[in-house]
Amino acid sequence: MPQIRAYGSMSGTSPLAQLTIPRRDVGPTDVKIDILFCGVCHSDLHTARGEWGGVQFPAVPGHEIVGKVVAVGAEVTKFAVGQNVGVGCMVDSCRECESCKSGREQYCYEGNIGTYNGKDHHLGGHTFGGYATDIVVDQDFVLSIADSLPLDAAAPLLCAGITLYSPLRHWGAGPGKKVGIVGLGGLGHMGVKIARAMGAHVVMLTTSPSKAKDAEKLGAHEVLIWSDEAAMRAASKTFDLLMNTVPQSHDINALTRLLKVDGAHVLLGVPPTPYPPLDVGRMIGNRLTVAASTIGGIAETQEMLDFCAQHGIVSDIEMIAMQDINEAYDRMSRNDVKYRFVIDMASLKNVAA
Amino acid sequence: MPQIRAYGSMSGTSPLAQLTIPRRDVGPTDVKIDILFCGVCHSDLHTARGEWGGVQFPAVPGHEIVGKVVAVGAEVTKFAVGQNVGVGCMVDSCRECESCKSGREQYCYEGNIGTYNGKDHHLGGHTFGGYATDIVVDQDFVLSIADSLPLDAAAPLLCAGITLYSPLRHWGAGPGKKVGIVGLGGLGHMGVKIARAMGAHVVMLTTSPSKAKDAEKLGAHEVLIWSDEAAMRAASKTFDLLMNTVPQSHDINALTRLLKVDGAHVLLGVPPTPYPPLDVGRMIGNRLTVAASTIGGIAETQEMLDFCAQHGIVSDIEMIAMQDINEAYDRMSRNDVKYRFVIDMASLKNVAA
């Protein structure tokens, strides 16, 4: 069983540092991937710092993984050595429940197997993510990445991209629809690009007037400052769909009031403190939906990657070395990144042994 | 302008009593209806007692109206004298907005014109409802009632019936779907009957074990006591759809946890105190929807009446005289009615002048 170089935390209070983890041998249906880049998601930070319940240590985060296939098992039919591939937030699921059978593995009734901090059915213990030199994943949870996509900037598509693509598709974003993307961060900036490519009229909702220019550069048709009460009143009942990426509690009802009859407000994060109670009166008078969504299924993630290749969509990234990760986390906590850190994994491979 | 006999309250603190109100002359597109029966809805009580903001007095409630056409305007094409008809919660809408043009008049962007306490564009002032001997309504807001339906028990279909029918249809109740009806009152008992006729597997959710037999008699396949934590745990993630008719605040999250992936919890009432904040974590892990809905459009209400005629569905009612209304309100406040009071309007017509 190969031991490989990785980066992770030994407890919620210790910084991430280099360590050694096991990877399983390549099984009959496995694909071994040489990791070239790994995006840095807020979930990585929460996990490494033990901010979420049930984190197992050592914690090796990373679920926006891209690289090249370096080995395949005897029964692998979908991938070949040398191919560009990706791995997102899941590495397996039960494959037998109603969700899995309908391509919604992210909502597996047994719980999908997270790329990190999931139950490792091969080696026992828990799974280790993409802050590592390589990874071994069953072919059914590996995604193909078109040669036209730059691998570094494509990495965040595997989590941030699909987190927006899936609900935008599910709730029917497209021509003739006015879609609001709430919050301009790693998720929000992908939302603007993808919703625009889907043909929707895209409005960036932010509390920071300073972000207006950036939002327009990313593809937003309009910017709505949602701390501006007059602007919010004027925009009342004009949106078909809201994708809410803000990770803190806020007045979701003020946003819901922007929705037209039959509109949907989709929450994409779980705030550490609860949202205020629903304004049911407003909802009942307009048949409004408040819903929540996370990532996407495997087939849908492939569809998203192909859509992004077709439309030339990638993330705006800032490249870092693996050794810079603790500083990057600190900057993410201050929202000081446009819009996603991506780790160049050569920095980990090139360390003297 | 005819002055007619009606029943209403002069203030939120005075009981309902007989009074005289004007009705407009029959205009070119109007239908004049001799009111035979009028159902008694909780909204009637809240309005008569001024418990909702913006109530105008005298308040003449009643929006579950059935009767016979006694006159039609020169341009009326849809109805003829002698026909059985009904009027529900609306008597008009703007007819030009996106909602009206798509048959969702209940969600008119200008606000639909309520059958009572709405803005009366003909006489000025506010509209008076069905606690009266007759009413004049534009033909486009009059519903046809099949001869096979008993008129008295059909009255509650106009509000309670459509309030359940519309969301059950909108969210896809039917064969293969497990639908929970939360709360067994005027709305809930219609929900059980209609969902059953749509072919769904119907579960009545109540906190009163004593209601189990009644629920089964109404057509529920199962009864789930939602104060029973073990039963609730066992039923976790098994429902496609919940129709929540409980008018008080309660733990909606405990109910939402019953939903399968992609399930929807539809709120049909606005509680006087807010619901607790959403359990977003549960929602995000299962792509759940919390939505709200009220009555239905005119075409949809006609569809509902025809569906009920086809399936022999009416309300379970207790007939009262107009003069019994204050006592009936008191009993409704104590949930002491199975399941809807209906006023026999002969009792108002036969009073000595």
Side-chain angles (χ1 to χ4, degrees), chain B residues 199-270:
Chain B
H201 182 82
V202 182
V203 182
M204 165 53 62
L205 285 99
T206 172
T207 50
S208 317
S210 63
K211 291 187 178 170
K213 267 223 174 92
D214 286 347
E216 279 161 10
K217 224 181 294 168
L218 291 166
H221 294 94
E222 292 178 51
V223 175
L224 175 55
I225 307 300
W226 58 280
S227 45
D228 178 343
E229 284 182 26
M232 289 291 278
R233 258 195 310 279
S236 173
K237 291 184 80 162
T238 65
F239 283 77
D240 294 282
L241 198 50
L242 293 173
M243 294 287 148
N244 192 330
T245 74
V246 176
Q248 286 88 33
S249 179
H250 56 277
D251 183 5
I252 52 171
N253 296 313
L255 293 163
T256 300
R257 284 195 281 276
L258 296 174
L259 291 173
K260 291 163 71 168
V261 170
D262 282 325
H265 185 171
V266 185
L267 307 171
L268 301 175
V270 182

Coordinates of all heavy atoms in Angstrom, one line a residue, chain B residues 199-270:
Chain B
G199 N -55.0 9.6 -6.5 CA -54.3 8.4 -6.6 C -53.1 8.3 -5.8 O -52.3 7.3 -5.9
A200 N -52.8 9.3 -4.9 CA -51.7 9.3 -4.0 C -51.9 8.3 -2.9 O -53.0 8.0 -2.5 CB -51.4 10.7 -3.5
H201 N -50.8 8.0 -2.2 CA -50.8 7.3 -0.9 C -50.9 8.4 0.1 O -50.0 9.2 0.3 CB -49.6 6.4 -0.7 CG -49.6 5.6 0.6 ND1 -50.3 4.5 0.7 CD2 -49.1 5.9 1.8 CE1 -50.1 4.0 1.9 NE2 -49.4 4.9 2.6
V202 N -52.0 8.4 0.9 CA -52.3 9.5 1.7 C -52.1 9.2 3.2 O -52.7 8.2 3.7 CB -53.8 10.0 1.5 CG1 -54.1 11.2 2.4 CG2 -54.0 10.3 0.0
V203 N -51.4 10.1 3.9 CA -51.1 9.9 5.3 C -51.6 11.2 6.0 O -51.3 12.3 5.7 CB -49.6 9.7 5.6 CG1 -49.4 9.5 7.1 CG2 -49.1 8.5 4.8
M204 N -52.5 11.0 7.0 CA -53.0 12.1 7.8 C -52.0 12.3 8.9 O -51.7 11.3 9.7 CB -54.4 11.8 8.3 CG -54.9 12.7 9.5 SD -54.8 14.4 9.2 CE -55.9 14.6 7.8
L205 N -51.5 13.4 9.1 CA -50.6 13.7 10.2 C -51.4 14.6 11.2 O -51.8 15.7 10.9 CB -49.3 14.5 9.8 CG -48.3 13.6 9.1 CD1 -48.5 13.7 7.6 CD2 -46.9 14.0 9.5
T206 N -51.5 14.1 12.4 CA -52.3 14.8 13.4 C -51.6 14.6 14.8 O -50.8 13.7 14.9 CB -53.7 14.3 13.5 OG1 -54.4 14.9 14.6 CG2 -53.8 12.8 13.6
T207 N -51.9 15.4 15.7 CA -51.3 15.2 17.1 C -52.4 14.5 18.0 O -52.1 14.2 19.1 CB -50.9 16.6 17.8 OG1 -52.0 17.5 17.6 CG2 -49.7 17.2 17.1
S208 N -53.6 14.3 17.4 CA -54.7 13.7 18.2 C -55.0 12.3 17.8 O -55.6 12.0 16.7 CB -55.9 14.5 18.0 OG -55.7 15.9 18.0
P209 N -54.5 11.3 18.6 CA -54.8 9.9 18.2 C -56.3 9.6 18.0 O -56.7 8.8 17.2 CB -54.2 9.1 19.4 CG -53.2 10.0 20.0 CD -53.7 11.4 19.8
S210 N -57.1 10.4 18.7 CA -58.5 10.2 18.6 C -59.1 10.5 17.2 O -60.2 10.1 16.8 CB -59.3 11.2 19.6 OG -59.0 12.5 19.2
K211 N -58.3 11.2 16.4 CA -58.7 11.5 15.0 C -58.4 10.5 14.0 O -58.8 10.6 12.8 CB -58.1 12.9 14.6 CG -58.7 14.1 15.3 CD -58.2 15.4 14.7 CE -58.7 16.6 15.5 NZ -58.1 17.8 15.0
A212 N -57.7 9.4 14.4 CA -57.2 8.4 13.5 C -58.4 7.8 12.7 O -58.3 7.6 11.5 CB -56.4 7.4 14.2
K213 N -59.4 7.3 13.5 CA -60.5 6.6 12.8 C -61.2 7.5 11.8 O -61.5 7.1 10.7 CB -61.6 6.2 13.9 CG -61.3 4.8 14.4 CD -62.7 4.0 14.5 CE -62.4 2.6 14.9 NZ -62.4 2.4 16.3
D214 N -61.4 8.8 12.2 CA -62.1 9.8 11.3 C -61.2 9.9 10.0 O -61.8 10.0 8.9 CB -62.2 11.1 11.9 CG -63.3 11.1 13.0 OD1 -64.1 10.2 13.0 OD2 -63.4 12.1 13.8
A215 N -59.9 10.0 10.2 CA -59.0 10.2 9.0 C -59.1 9.1 8.1 O -59.2 9.2 6.9 CB -57.6 10.4 9.5
E216 N -59.2 7.9 8.6 CA -59.3 6.7 7.7 C -60.6 6.6 7.0 O -60.7 6.3 5.9 CB -59.0 5.4 8.6 CG -57.5 5.2 8.7 CD -57.1 4.2 9.8 OE1 -58.0 3.6 10.4 OE2 -55.9 4.2 10.1
K217 N -61.7 7.0 7.7 CA -63.0 7.1 7.1 C -63.0 8.1 5.9 O -63.7 7.9 4.9 CB -64.1 7.5 8.1 CG -65.3 6.7 8.1 CD -66.4 7.1 9.1 CE -65.9 6.9 10.5 NZ -66.8 7.5 11.5
L218 N -62.2 9.1 6.1 CA -62.2 10.2 5.0 C -61.4 9.7 3.8 O -61.4 10.3 2.7 CB -61.6 11.5 5.6 CG -62.4 12.2 6.6 CD1 -61.6 13.3 7.3 CD2 -63.6 12.9 5.9
G219 N -60.5 8.7 4.0 CA -59.8 8.1 2.9 C -58.3 8.0 3.1 O -57.6 7.6 2.2
A220 N -57.8 8.4 4.3 CA -56.4 8.3 4.6 C -56.0 6.8 4.6 O -56.6 6.0 5.2 CB -56.0 9.0 5.9
H221 N -54.8 6.5 3.9 CA -54.3 5.1 4.0 C -53.7 4.9 5.3 O -53.6 3.7 5.8 CB -53.3 4.9 2.9 CG -53.8 5.0 1.5 ND1 -53.8 6.1 0.8 CD2 -54.4 4.0 0.7 CE1 -54.4 5.9 -0.4 NE2 -54.8 4.6 -0.5
E222 N -53.1 5.9 5.9 CA -52.4 5.8 7.2 C -52.6 7.0 8.0 O -52.9 8.1 7.5 CB -50.9 5.7 7.0 CG -50.3 4.4 6.3 CD -48.8 4.5 6.1 OE1 -48.1 4.8 7.1 OE2 -48.4 4.4 5.0
V223 N -52.3 6.9 9.3 CA -52.3 8.0 10.2 C -51.0 8.1 10.9 O -50.5 7.0 11.4 CB -53.5 8.0 11.2 CG1 -53.4 9.1 12.2 CG2 -54.8 8.0 10.5
L224 N -50.4 9.2 11.0 CA -49.1 9.4 11.7 C -49.3 10.4 12.7 O -49.6 11.6 12.5 CB -48.0 9.8 10.7 CG -46.6 10.1 11.2 CD1 -46.0 8.9 12.0 CD2 -45.6 10.4 10.0
I225 N -49.0 10.0 14.0 CA -49.2 10.9 15.1 C -47.9 11.7 15.3 O -46.9 11.1 15.7 CB -49.5 10.2 16.4 CG1 -50.7 9.2 16.2 CG2 -49.7 11.1 17.6 CD1 -52.0 9.9 15.8
W226 N -47.9 13.0 14.9 CA -46.6 13.6 14.8 C -46.0 14.2 16.1 O -44.9 14.7 16.2 CB -46.5 14.6 13.7 CG -47.4 15.8 13.6 CD1 -48.7 15.8 13.2 CD2 -47.1 17.1 13.9 NE1 -49.2 17.0 13.2 CE2 -48.3 17.9 13.7 CE3 -46.0 17.8 14.4 CZ2 -48.4 19.3 13.9 CZ3 -46.1 19.2 14.6 CH2 -47.3 19.9 14.4
S227 N -46.7 13.8 17.2 CA -46.1 14.1 18.5 C -45.4 12.8 19.0 O -44.7 12.8 20.0 CB -47.2 14.5 19.5 OG -48.3 13.6 19.4
D228 N -45.5 11.7 18.2 CA -44.8 10.4 18.6 C -43.5 10.4 17.9 O -43.3 10.1 16.7 CB -45.7 9.3 18.0 CG -45.1 7.9 18.3 OD1 -43.9 7.8 18.5 OD2 -45.9 6.9 18.2
E229 N -42.4 10.7 18.7 CA -41.1 10.8 18.1 C -40.6 9.6 17.5 O -39.9 9.6 16.4 CB -40.1 11.3 19.2 CG -40.3 12.8 19.5 CD -39.3 13.3 20.5 OE1 -38.2 12.7 20.7 OE2 -39.6 14.3 21.2
A230 N -40.9 8.4 18.0 CA -40.4 7.2 17.4 C -41.1 6.9 16.1 O -40.4 6.6 15.1 CB -40.7 6.0 18.4
A231 N -42.4 7.2 16.0 CA -43.1 7.1 14.7 C -42.5 8.0 13.7 O -42.4 7.7 12.5 CB -44.6 7.3 14.9
M232 N -42.2 9.2 14.2 CA -41.7 10.3 13.2 C -40.3 9.8 12.7 O -40.0 10.0 11.6 CB -41.6 11.6 13.9 CG -42.9 12.3 14.2 SD -43.8 12.8 12.7 CE -42.9 14.4 12.4
R233 N -39.5 9.3 13.6 CA -38.1 8.8 13.2 C -38.3 7.7 12.2 O -37.6 7.7 11.1 CB -37.3 8.3 14.4 CG -36.3 9.3 14.9 CD -35.3 8.6 15.8 NE -35.9 7.8 16.9 CZ -36.4 8.4 18.0 NH1 -36.3 9.7 18.2 NH2 -37.0 7.6 18.9
A234 N -39.2 6.8 12.4 CA -39.4 5.7 11.5 C -39.9 6.2 10.1 O -39.6 5.5 9.1 CB -40.4 4.7 12.1
A235 N -40.6 7.3 10.1 CA -41.2 7.8 8.8 C -40.2 8.8 8.2 O -40.5 9.3 7.1 CB -42.5 8.4 9.1
S236 N -39.1 9.0 8.7 CA -38.1 10.0 8.2 C -37.8 9.7 6.7 O -37.6 8.5 6.3 CB -36.8 9.9 9.0 OG -35.8 10.7 8.5
K237 N -37.7 10.7 5.9 CA -37.4 10.6 4.5 C -38.2 9.6 3.7 O -37.7 8.8 2.9 CB -35.9 10.2 4.4 CG -34.9 11.3 4.8 CD -33.5 11.0 4.6 CE -33.0 11.2 3.1 NZ -31.5 11.4 3.0
T238 N -39.5 9.6 4.0 CA -40.4 8.7 3.2 C -41.5 9.4 2.4 O -42.2 8.8 1.7 CB -41.1 7.6 4.1 OG1 -42.0 8.3 5.0 CG2 -40.1 6.8 4.9
F239 N -41.7 10.7 2.7 CA -42.8 11.5 2.1 C -42.3 12.3 0.8 O -41.2 12.9 0.9 CB -43.4 12.5 3.0 CG -44.3 11.8 4.1 CD1 -43.8 11.1 5.2 CD2 -45.7 11.9 3.9 CE1 -44.6 10.5 6.1 CE2 -46.5 11.3 4.8 CZ -46.0 10.6 5.9
D240 N -43.1 12.3 -0.2 CA -42.8 13.1 -1.3 C -43.3 14.6 -1.1 O -42.8 15.5 -1.7 CB -43.5 12.6 -2.6 CG -43.0 11.2 -3.0 OD1 -41.9 11.2 -3.6 OD2 -43.6 10.2 -2.7
L241 N -44.4 14.7 -0.4 CA -45.1 16.0 -0.3 C -45.8 16.1 1.0 O -46.4 15.1 1.5 CB -46.1 16.0 -1.5 CG -46.7 17.2 -2.0 CD1 -45.7 18.3 -2.3 CD2 -47.5 16.9 -3.3
L242 N -45.8 17.3 1.6 CA -46.6 17.6 2.8 C -47.4 18.8 2.5 O -46.9 19.8 2.1 CB -45.6 17.9 4.0 CG -44.8 16.7 4.5 CD1 -43.8 17.2 5.6 CD2 -45.7 15.6 5.1
M243 N -48.7 18.7 2.9 CA -49.6 19.9 2.8 C -49.9 20.2 4.2 O -50.6 19.5 4.9 CB -50.9 19.5 2.0 CG -50.7 19.1 0.6 SD -50.3 20.6 -0.4 CE -49.2 20.0 -1.6
N244 N -49.5 21.4 4.6 CA -49.6 21.8 6.0 C -50.7 22.8 6.3 O -50.6 23.9 5.9 CB -48.2 22.4 6.5 CG -48.2 22.5 8.0 OD1 -49.2 22.7 8.7 ND2 -47.0 22.4 8.6
T245 N -51.8 22.3 6.9 CA -52.9 23.2 7.1 C -53.0 23.7 8.5 O -54.0 24.3 8.9 CB -54.2 22.3 6.8 OG1 -54.5 21.4 7.9 CG2 -54.2 21.6 5.5
V246 N -52.0 23.4 9.4 CA -52.1 23.9 10.8 C -51.9 25.4 10.9 O -50.9 25.9 10.4 CB -51.0 23.1 11.6 CG1 -51.0 23.6 13.1 CG2 -51.3 21.6 11.6
P247 N -52.9 26.1 11.5 CA -52.8 27.5 11.4 C -52.0 28.2 12.5 O -51.9 29.4 12.6 CB -54.3 28.0 11.5 CG -54.9 26.9 12.3 CD -54.2 25.6 12.0
Q248 N -51.4 27.4 13.4 CA -50.6 27.9 14.5 C -49.1 27.6 14.2 O -48.8 26.6 13.5 CB -51.0 27.4 15.9 CG -52.3 27.9 16.4 CD -53.5 27.1 16.0 OE1 -53.4 25.9 15.8 NE2 -54.6 27.8 15.8
S249 N -48.3 28.4 14.9 CA -46.8 28.1 14.7 C -46.5 26.7 15.4 O -47.1 26.3 16.4 CB -46.0 29.2 15.4 OG -44.6 28.8 15.3
H250 N -45.6 26.0 14.7 CA -45.2 24.7 15.3 C -43.8 24.4 14.6 O -43.4 25.1 13.8 CB -46.2 23.6 15.0 CG -46.6 23.5 13.5 ND1 -47.5 24.3 12.9 CD2 -46.1 22.7 12.5 CE1 -47.5 24.0 11.6 NE2 -46.7 23.0 11.4
D251 N -43.3 23.2 15.0 CA -41.9 22.9 14.5 C -42.0 22.3 13.1 O -42.1 21.1 12.9 CB -41.3 21.9 15.5 CG -39.9 21.5 15.1 OD1 -39.4 22.1 14.1 OD2 -39.3 20.6 15.7
I252 N -42.0 23.2 12.2 CA -42.1 22.8 10.8 C -40.9 21.9 10.4 O -41.0 21.0 9.5 CB -42.3 23.9 9.8 CG1 -41.2 25.0 9.9 CG2 -43.7 24.5 9.8 CD1 -41.2 26.1 8.8
N253 N -39.8 22.1 11.0 CA -38.6 21.3 10.7 C -38.8 19.8 11.0 O -38.3 19.0 10.2 CB -37.4 21.8 11.4 CG -37.0 23.2 11.0 OD1 -37.0 23.5 9.8 ND2 -36.8 24.1 11.9
A254 N -39.5 19.5 12.1 CA -39.8 18.1 12.4 C -40.6 17.5 11.3 O -40.4 16.3 11.0 CB -40.5 18.0 13.7
L255 N -41.4 18.2 10.7 CA -42.2 17.7 9.5 C -41.4 17.6 8.3 O -41.4 16.6 7.5 CB -43.5 18.6 9.3 CG -44.5 18.6 10.5 CD1 -45.4 19.7 10.4 CD2 -45.2 17.2 10.5
T256 N -40.6 18.7 8.0 CA -39.7 18.7 6.8 C -38.8 17.4 6.8 O -38.5 16.9 5.7 CB -38.9 20.0 6.8 OG1 -39.8 21.1 6.7 CG2 -38.0 20.0 5.6
R257 N -38.4 17.0 8.0 CA -37.5 15.8 8.0 C -38.2 14.5 7.5 O -37.5 13.5 7.3 CB -37.0 15.6 9.5 CG -35.9 16.6 9.9 CD -35.2 16.1 11.2 NE -36.0 16.4 12.4 CZ -35.9 17.6 13.0 NH1 -35.2 18.6 12.5 NH2 -36.6 17.8 14.1
L258 N -39.5 14.6 7.4 CA -40.2 13.4 6.8 C -40.0 13.3 5.3 O -40.3 12.3 4.7 CB -41.7 13.5 7.1 CG -42.1 13.5 8.6 CD1 -43.6 13.8 8.7 CD2 -41.8 12.1 9.2
L259 N -39.5 14.4 4.7 CA -39.5 14.4 3.2 C -38.3 13.6 2.6 O -37.2 13.7 3.1 CB -39.4 15.8 2.7 CG -40.6 16.7 2.9 CD1 -40.3 18.2 2.6 CD2 -41.8 16.2 2.1
K260 N -38.6 12.9 1.5 CA -37.6 12.3 0.7 C -36.8 13.4 0.0 O -37.2 14.6 0.0 CB -38.2 11.4 -0.3 CG -38.9 10.2 0.2 CD -39.8 9.6 -0.8 CE -39.1 9.0 -2.0 NZ -40.0 8.1 -2.8
V261 N -35.7 13.0 -0.6 CA -34.9 13.9 -1.5 C -35.8 14.5 -2.5 O -36.7 13.8 -3.1 CB -33.8 13.1 -2.2 CG1 -33.1 14.0 -3.2 CG2 -32.7 12.7 -1.1
D262 N -35.7 15.8 -2.7 CA -36.6 16.6 -3.6 C -38.0 16.8 -3.2 O -38.9 17.2 -4.0 CB -36.5 16.0 -5.0 CG -35.2 16.4 -5.8 OD1 -34.7 17.5 -5.5 OD2 -34.7 15.6 -6.5
G263 N -38.3 16.5 -1.9 CA -39.6 16.6 -1.4 C -40.0 18.1 -1.1 O -39.1 18.9 -1.1
A264 N -41.3 18.4 -1.0 CA -41.7 19.7 -0.8 C -42.7 19.8 0.4 O -43.6 18.9 0.5 CB -42.4 20.3 -2.0
H265 N -42.5 20.7 1.2 CA -43.4 21.0 2.4 C -44.1 22.3 2.1 O -43.5 23.4 2.0 CB -42.5 21.1 3.6 CG -43.3 21.3 4.9 ND1 -42.7 21.2 6.1 CD2 -44.6 21.5 5.2 CE1 -43.6 21.4 7.1 NE2 -44.7 21.6 6.5
V266 N -45.4 22.2 1.9 CA -46.2 23.4 1.4 C -47.1 23.9 2.6 O -47.9 23.2 3.1 CB -47.1 23.0 0.2 CG1 -47.8 24.3 -0.3 CG2 -46.3 22.4 -0.9
L267 N -46.8 25.2 2.9 CA -47.5 25.8 4.0 C -48.8 26.5 3.4 O -48.7 27.3 2.5 CB -46.6 26.8 4.7 CG -45.2 26.3 5.1 CD1 -44.3 27.4 5.6 CD2 -45.4 25.3 6.2
L268 N -49.9 26.2 4.1 CA -51.2 26.7 3.5 C -51.8 27.8 4.4 O -52.9 28.3 4.1 CB -52.1 25.6 3.3 CG -51.6 24.5 2.3 CD1 -52.6 23.4 2.2 CD2 -51.3 25.1 0.9
G269 N -51.1 28.1 5.5 CA -51.7 29.1 6.4 C -50.5 30.0 6.9 O -49.4 29.6 6.8
V270 N -50.9 31.2 7.4 CA -49.9 32.1 8.0 C -50.2 32.1 9.5 O -51.2 32.6 9.9 CB -50.1 33.5 7.4 CG1 -49.0 34.4 8.0 CG2 -50.0 33.5 5.9

